């Protein structure tokens, strides 16, 4: 059959079909190769930013560093200044109790009775000695008065022995008092001195303060003591105690304080006793202290726009107002302490770490 006008010869048609088939195979192979060996996809800037921020936050956390310009510092109320220099005396806490005075009062009364017996014995001895002198003089004139002289001499000797016994009783009471109440209060009890008399008459309270085991401290002549009720008083040292609290078994001291409603027998007492040598220190005020992770921290101004968080370790001694003192030789010279606005720096540091202030202790 003769081909019409515009028709493709059969041989040419076959060549076209074969060419298209080859082209399709080549394209398919190219697609597989491109898929298998595709280059890694470039990271978008938005995807990379959290990774970079995390790295920066980790670095900031490790360094404890906050960077703020002058304007931000003003808004946060941040004030830095050199810490105040002081001569600080470290102190050890002592706990104690207002002692009951029944036993002391009993000794005091026994000593009083013994003193009265001694006085009576001395009076009787004085009389018998006078009678003996007269009897011996009479014997010189009347030898027949020998029996009377012997009786007078015997009476004088018996009365002298009674005086010695009364004095021995007083010495025994004194020894007991010293063993129980120490070398100062003991003799005062035996002699009924004002120190003991004021205690017996409840004009003073006797306090025993005991240090914690292993702690060494000096007992000053005068200290401030705090009672369990919150009342305070000034106490005066009597002496080291001869007996300690068996539950603590540590050094104890006896103090006297004025009688008061708070100083009742059995009331708990506490005080701070000086420990070691006074030394040059710097004051860390309460407003400069922040607490994180159960630790006390401060911020130091390391540069005009940079603040460094530093821990207060065992070398820092807490004070009653919530601050600390730090040995002066441990303070970084030339740097200032953030005395106001420390909490604002905590907030800024928390933001850089991607957490809220509630996450801090």
């Amino acid at each position: 059959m003769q081909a019409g006008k515009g028709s493709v010869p059969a041989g040419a048609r076959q060549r076209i079909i074969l060419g298209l088939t080859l082209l399709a195979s080549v394209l398919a192979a190219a697609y597989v190769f491109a898929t298998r060996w595709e280059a890694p996809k470039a990271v978008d800037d938005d995807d990379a930013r959290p990774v970079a921020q995390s790295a920066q936050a980790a670095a900031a956390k490790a360094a404890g560093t906050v960077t703020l310009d002058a304007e931000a510092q003003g808004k946060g109320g941040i004030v830095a200044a050199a810490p105040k220099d002081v001569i600080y005396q470290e102190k050890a806490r002592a706990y104690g109790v207002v002692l009951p005075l029944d036993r002391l009062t009993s000794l005091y009364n026994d000593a009083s009775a013994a003193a009265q017996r001694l006085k009576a014995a001395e009076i009787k001895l004085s009389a018998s000695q006078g009678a003996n002198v007269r009897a011996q003089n009479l014997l010189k004139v009347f030898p027949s008065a020998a029996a009377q002289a012997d009786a007078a001499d015997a009476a004088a000797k018996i009365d002298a022995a009674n005086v010695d016994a009364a004095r021995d009783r007083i010495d025994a009471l004194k020894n007991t008092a010293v063993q129980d109440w120490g070398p100062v209060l003991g003799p005062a009890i035996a002699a009924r001195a004002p120190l003991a008399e004021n205690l017996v008459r409840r004009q003073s309270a006797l306090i025993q303060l005991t240090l914690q085991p292993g702690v060494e401290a000096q007992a000053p002549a005068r200290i401030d003591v705090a009672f369990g009720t919150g009342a305070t008083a000034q106490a005066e040292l009597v002496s080291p105690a001869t007996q300690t609290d068996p539950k603590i078994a540590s050094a104890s001291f006896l103090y006297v304080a004025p009688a008061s409603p708070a100083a009742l027998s059995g009331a708990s007492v506490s005080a701070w006793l000086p420990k070691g040598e006074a030394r040059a220190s710097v004051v860390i005020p309460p407003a400069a202290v922040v607490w994180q992770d159960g630790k006390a921290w401060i911020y130091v101004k390391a540069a005009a726009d940079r603040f460094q968080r530093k821990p207060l370790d065992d070398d820092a001694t807490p004070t009653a107002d919530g601050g600390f003192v730090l040995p002066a030789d441990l303070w970084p010279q030339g740097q200032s302490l953030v005395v106001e606005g420390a909490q604002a720096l905590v907030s800024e540091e928390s933001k850089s770490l991607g957490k809220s202030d509630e996450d801090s202790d």
Side-chain angles (χ1 to χ4, degrees), residues 41-50:
K41 183 180 179 182
V43 179
D44 185 74
D45 289 343
D46 292 337
D47 296 332
R49 191 173 297 115

Side-chain angles (χ1 to χ4, degrees), residues 42-284:
V43 179
D44 185 74
D45 289 343
D46 292 337
D47 296 332
R49 191 173 297 115
V51 176
Q53 289 177 345
S54 298
Q56 292 173 359
K61 182 176 182 180
T65 300
V66 180
T67 302
L68 288 178
D69 58 23
E71 181 180 358
Q73 293 177 38
K75 290 180 180 179
I78 298 169
V79 177
K84 180 181 177 182
D85 294 323
V86 295
I87 300 299
Y88 179 73
Q89 173 65 68
E90 188 176 358
K91 296 182 179 181
R93 186 140 195 187
Y95 297 91
V97 65
V98 177
L99 295 176
L101 298 177
D102 297 344
R103 194 160 48 89
L104 184 150
T105 302
S106 178
L107 271 175
Y108 182 92
N109 292 337
D110 289 345
S112 180
Q116 293 299 321
R117 286 192 294 269
L118 174 61
K119 184 177 181 179
E122 289 174 338
I123 293 173
K124 189 175 181 181
L125 174 61
S126 178
S128 62
Q129 285 175 336
N132 187 37
V133 169
R134 290 190 295 272
Q136 299 306 318
N137 290 335
L138 183 62
L139 179 62
K140 294 176 182 179
V141 178
F142 301 100
S144 60
Q148 182 179 350
D150 290 343
D153 184 60
K157 290 179 178 178
I158 291 173
D159 290 341
N162 288 336
V163 169
D164 290 340
R167 287 173 177 166
D168 289 343
R169 173 60 179 164
I170 290 177
D171 288 341
L173 287 170
K174 180 179 178 180
N175 291 337
T176 299
V178 169
Q179 290 177 4
D180 289 350
W181 301 101
V184 176
L185 184 53
I189 295 171
R192 288 118 41 239
L195 173 61
E197 182 179 358
N198 289 338
L199 291 169
V200 171
R201 296 182 181 279
R202 304 294 181 180
Q203 295 174 347
S204 299
L206 185 62
I207 298 169
Q208 181 170 353
L209 291 173
T210 303
L211 293 166
Q212 297 180 8
V215 175
E216 295 182 1
Q218 299 84 37
R222 290 180 177 84
I223 58 169
D224 292 326
V225 297
F227 298 97
T229 59
T232 60
Q234 189 174 76
E236 294 186 2
L237 176 66
V238 177
S239 71
T242 58
Q243 302 177 38
T244 189
D245 186 338
K247 293 181 291 187
I248 301 178
S250 188
S252 293
F253 305 94
L254 294 179
Y255 280 85
V256 290
S260 68
L264 299 177
S265 175
S268 60
V269 188
S270 64
W272 292 94
L273 304 184
K275 176 183 177 183
E277 298 294 331
R279 58 182 179 177
S281 304
V282 295
V283 176
I284 309 296

